[in-house]
Amino acid sequence: MSIPLSLMDPLTATIVVVSLMLLILLAFGSPIIYTGWKQRQQYHQLSAIHTSLDDAIPGEAVAVSGTVSSQSRTIDSPYRSQRCALALWDTARLSRGQGPQWFLEASGVMADELLITLDTEHVPVTGQLRQRRVLTTAQALSSALGVDVNSTLAFIDTELSQSGFEKQFTPTEDLTETYRAHNRDIGFDRPTRDSSNMLGRLLAEQLTPHNTVRYRELTFQGGDEITIIGEKTDDGISVVETGGTHPIISSESLSNRLSRYRREYVLRLYGYPAFCLLFSALIAYPIGGVPNANNVQFTLYI
């Protein structure tokens, strides 16, 4: 059944058009809203945890901020072989199928015996300090859409996006042995063709080619500022999930992270729907606000 909008009074027609436009815009922006909702959850979750080891009991979530101790045992970073106390890394592939998107192939944390200095005390950090994950297709898609906030290693992308080393190789470029060995280690079969069609090859001359691979790493040296969120242990902190709180290793203080989370979730969870409502109202205004609106020939199908 169809109802021409010209048979409705101007107010009803405006409400109908606004509602339809709003539903369409909200449907397209659902990943943005979902990410905002998850960030709001994280904000309230992190706001409630202890910020001192003295205030927490073993097994509780706690956030500690200090500097990387010079007494930490050093390791070689995965790509540059740089001596460091801690390294975060990831490997991603560029896809231009539906617009440019970096699909995460693998990411991880590398450390040996890590200590952080709180005042004059050297606190041991244990847990998942040799952890990595190789993503499935579904996980890679979630990461590309920005809805991977539930992962225990989701913090790595945030850290690497803000600072650190980055190296890209187009499909036709040769890799050094370091990168080839890394790909074998994570089971990544690197594509060697950028595009099979003429348009893709023409775009590759102006833009970053399809199937370009990106390698990023961030290292922490002795004296670097660091914030760790994890589980309090008898003698320090463990980088593991506890009480639904995912572990985080960051150069960003907890207060700055909370401010950023609040700003981002307000924009995504409340700002985007408000924009959609305003935009829908502007689009629908001529239907109900212009004289002779009964001449409008839009038809509503129900």
Side-chain angles (χ1 to χ4, degrees), residues 97-161:
Q98 300 295 326
Q101 290 279 3
W102 287 103
F103 282 83
L104 194 62
E105 299 290 343
S107 62
V109 180
M110 293 178 61
D112 197 337
E113 294 182 6
L114 180 63
L115 301 170
I116 60 173
T117 302
L118 303 177
D119 296 326
T120 58
E121 183 181 5
H122 299 283
V123 176
V125 181
T126 58
Q128 302 168 343
L129 296 180
R130 281 279 180 178
Q131 185 185 14
R132 73 178 185 190
R133 64 169 182 163
V134 179
L135 276 70
T136 63
T137 302
Q139 289 172 328
L141 180 59
S142 296
S143 176
L145 292 175
V147 294
D148 193 32
V149 292
N150 274 334
S151 168
T152 56
L153 292 182
F155 69 89
I156 293 178
D157 179 67
T158 301
E159 289 301 302
L160 294 176
S161 297

Side-chain angles (χ1 to χ4, degrees), residues 4 13 108 136 170 186 273 293:
T136 63
T170 64
I186 64 175

Side-chain angles (χ1 to χ4, degrees), residues 31-32 60-61 78 94 98 126 143-144 188 218 237 284 289 294 302:
I32 298 174
E60 287 187 326
L94 181 66
Q98 300 295 326
T126 58
S143 176
F188 174 48
L218 175 64
I237 185 170
N294 290 333
I302 59 173

Side-chain angles (χ1 to χ4, degrees), residues 276-289:
C276 292
L277 179 60
L278 178 61
F279 182 79
S280 300
L282 291 174
I283 293 297
Y285 174 76
I287 296 175

Side-chain angles (χ1 to χ4, degrees), residues 64-96:
V64 295
S65 296
T67 58
V68 177
S69 172
S70 58
Q71 298 181 19
S72 301
R73 183 173 295 179
T74 59
I75 59 168
D76 289 330
S77 64
Y79 303 138
R80 293 176 293 173
S81 298
Q82 185 180 75
R83 298 302 292 176
C84 61
L86 171 71
L88 310 178
W89 61 269
D90 73 5
T91 303
R93 177 183 58 83
L94 181 66
S95 173
R96 290 192 174 277

Side-chain angles (χ1 to χ4, degrees), residues 126-227:
T126 58
Q128 302 168 343
L129 296 180
R130 281 279 180 178
Q131 185 185 14
R132 73 178 185 190
R133 64 169 182 163
V134 179
L135 276 70
T136 63
T137 302
Q139 289 172 328
L141 180 59
S142 296
S143 176
L145 292 175
V147 294
D148 193 32
V149 292
N150 274 334
S151 168
T152 56
L153 292 182
F155 69 89
I156 293 178
D157 179 67
T158 301
E159 289 301 302
L160 294 176
S161 297
Q162 295 175 346
S163 61
F165 164 83
E166 177 177 319
K167 178 69 174 177
Q168 296 182 11
F169 290 93
T170 64
T172 56
E173 287 184 281
D174 291 331
L175 299 181
T176 63
E177 179 54 33
T178 298
Y179 293 97
R180 287 197 295 267
H182 173 77
N183 289 347
R184 290 193 299 268
D185 187 40
I186 64 175
F188 174 48
D189 186 13
R190 173 183 172 241
T192 56
R193 295 184 63 184
D194 53 0
S195 180
S196 59
N197 57 65
M198 180 62 69
L199 178 60
R201 288 193 292 271
L202 291 174
L203 289 176
E205 297 178 1
Q206 306 296 327
L207 305 172
T208 304
H210 176 70
N211 280 335
T212 292
V213 178
R214 182 189 68 192
Y215 301 90
R216 300 187 300 182
E217 73 175 25
L218 175 64
T219 59
F220 289 81
Q221 316 283 347
D224 288 347
E225 294 185 355
I226 189 170
T227 295

